[in-house]
Amino acid sequence: MPELAEVDYFRRQWNPGLGHRIDEVRIHSKARIFRGTDTALLVRVLTGATLERSEARGKQMLFVAKKRDVKAQAWLGLHLGMTGKLRAELPDYRAAKHDHLVLRQAKHALVFEDARLFGRVHFAEGKDAPKWWTKLPPELLSSSFTVKDLDFFLKRRARAPIKAVLLMQERFPGIGNWMADEILWRAAIHPRQPAGSLDVGLIATLYREIRTVCREALRIIGKDFSDPPDSWLFNHRWQKGGSCPRTGGKLQHATIGGRTTCWSPARQKLVK
């Protein structure tokens, strides 16, 4: 499933459409990604509106459009699920089987495809952002996410393995499997370490590495989908017989928190 940086990369794929009018909206209205969405309202409000801006938060993204002389704004929320992708095509592009939403403009066709239909489309019209957007947790790079917040959350889930806790989207929006492994490897914390057992120093280290991995992933992957450098765990975690880029020791794998997890035993010690 796309994580924070991959989501931001796909958000950027619709950037060519910003500032341009949406002339036509084509949808597969019965597709599961529109569950709970008023598709007739979506088509009516977006048609003729200008796509003004976009932002990503965790694993979700928001596109805001507005019609001239209309105070209300159109709020289009997208979640990619496991296989969702956004891309820009030429304006005469003919939608394929899995292209469930197409915003046609004079110079572009903005396409949302999702082969497995695990994604989601939200839509609302109004002056203020809808609750399905405003209720999302603070971004991990914002000032609203503090060491104190992290400490409090870990203590509330004291017995859970730290890897499982990092995957909880209500506190760590956008953190997925590979990012959680990367963060713990950098912080030298074993993925099975109980969340409540981390001391003040380790919590500060974990906080720092969460923000570092988020920031650098956005800079590298979010820009053009490049892989991080070989100094990261990322490029070694699935190699057969892969080794830790810092210690040279053999990497280990196991299922933790329901996800296949990679760590470096020479670097990440389980503290009893």
Side-chain angles (χ1 to χ4, degrees):
M1 182 176 289
E3 301 181 29
L4 181 146
E6 291 94 339
V7 169
D8 201 56
Y9 168 81
F10 283 116
R11 176 189 66 82
R12 292 168 182 260
Q13 301 316 295
W14 277 16
N15 277 358
L18 297 181
H20 298 279
R21 184 179 184 271
I22 300 168
D23 297 320
E24 183 184 15
V25 179
R26 302 296 298 272
I27 65 172
H28 293 159
S29 60
K30 295 184 179 180
R32 189 157 57 95
I33 62 171
F34 292 106
R35 57 196 181 277
T37 296
D38 186 337
T39 54
L41 178 69
L42 182 153
V43 172
R44 177 173 60 81
V45 174
L46 284 181
T47 302
T50 297
L51 202 59
E52 294 190 327
R53 60 184 175 85
S54 69
E55 58 183 292
R57 188 177 298 176
K59 295 185 178 182
Q60 302 190 53
M61 60 186 81
L62 175 71
F63 294 87
V64 182
K66 191 175 184 300
K67 289 182 177 178
R68 182 179 297 179
D69 300 325
V70 176
K71 292 183 179 181
Q73 293 179 303
W75 308 86
L76 175 65
L78 301 179
H79 190 297
L80 298 178
M82 293 182 67
T83 58
K85 297 179 181 179
L86 271 62
R87 65 184 193 278
E89 300 282 359
L90 295 174
D92 58 352
Y93 173 76
R94 295 184 63 181
K97 177 180 179 181
H98 301 302
D99 298 333
H100 303 296
L101 171 63
V102 179
L103 307 181
R104 203 175 301 279
Q105 301 177 316
K107 296 183 178 181
H108 309 95
L110 307 180
V111 181
F112 175 31
E113 65 167 293
D114 186 1
R116 298 185 66 184
L117 295 173
F118 290 130
R120 189 75 181 268
V121 175
H122 296 282
F123 186 76
E125 181 186 25
K127 294 180 181 179
D128 301 315
K131 288 184 178 180
W132 47 255
W133 183 256
T134 58
K135 72 179 182 181
L136 294 175
E139 294 178 86
L140 296 173
L141 290 176
S142 74
S143 59
S144 297
F145 175 60
T146 67
V147 176
K148 185 177 179 180
D149 295 327
L150 176 60
D151 184 22
F152 179 74
F153 194 80
L154 296 182
K155 283 183 169 55
R156 288 182 60 196
R157 289 150 183 83
R159 296 183 180 182
I162 186 62
K163 168 63 184 285
V165 173
L166 284 181
L167 296 175
M168 295 177 179
Q169 296 302 296
E170 66 266 30
R171 177 70 276 173
F172 306 105
I175 299 297
N177 200 32
W178 80 258
M179 290 186 74
D181 285 352
E182 189 74 36
I183 290 165
L184 293 174
W185 172 75
R186 287 168 170 259
I189 299 172
H190 194 285
R192 292 193 191 277
Q193 193 69 39
S197 68
L198 303 186
D199 61 24
V200 174
L202 277 179
I203 290 174
T205 299
L206 180 62
Y207 176 80
R208 183 186 70 238
E209 297 302 344
I210 287 172
R211 291 170 70 91
T212 297
V213 171
C214 288
R215 182 177 61 251
E216 290 303 294
L218 284 168
R219 183 180 67 84
I220 299 169
I221 300 173
K223 180 181 179 182
D224 56 14
F225 226 64
S226 294
D227 286 341
D230 284 343
S231 59
W232 286 42
L233 179 67
F234 182 93
N235 293 327
H236 308 270
R237 64 196 306 269
W238 301 128
Q239 291 179 4
K240 187 175 182 179
S243 58
C244 173
R246 293 196 181 181
T247 68
K250 187 176 180 180
L251 297 174
Q252 191 167 338
H253 300 82
T255 300
I256 302 175
R259 304 298 300 276
T260 301
T261 300
C262 176
W263 73 95
S264 172
R267 176 174 172 77
Q268 297 163 265
K269 307 289 188 181
L270 183 58
V271 181
K272 300 294 185 178

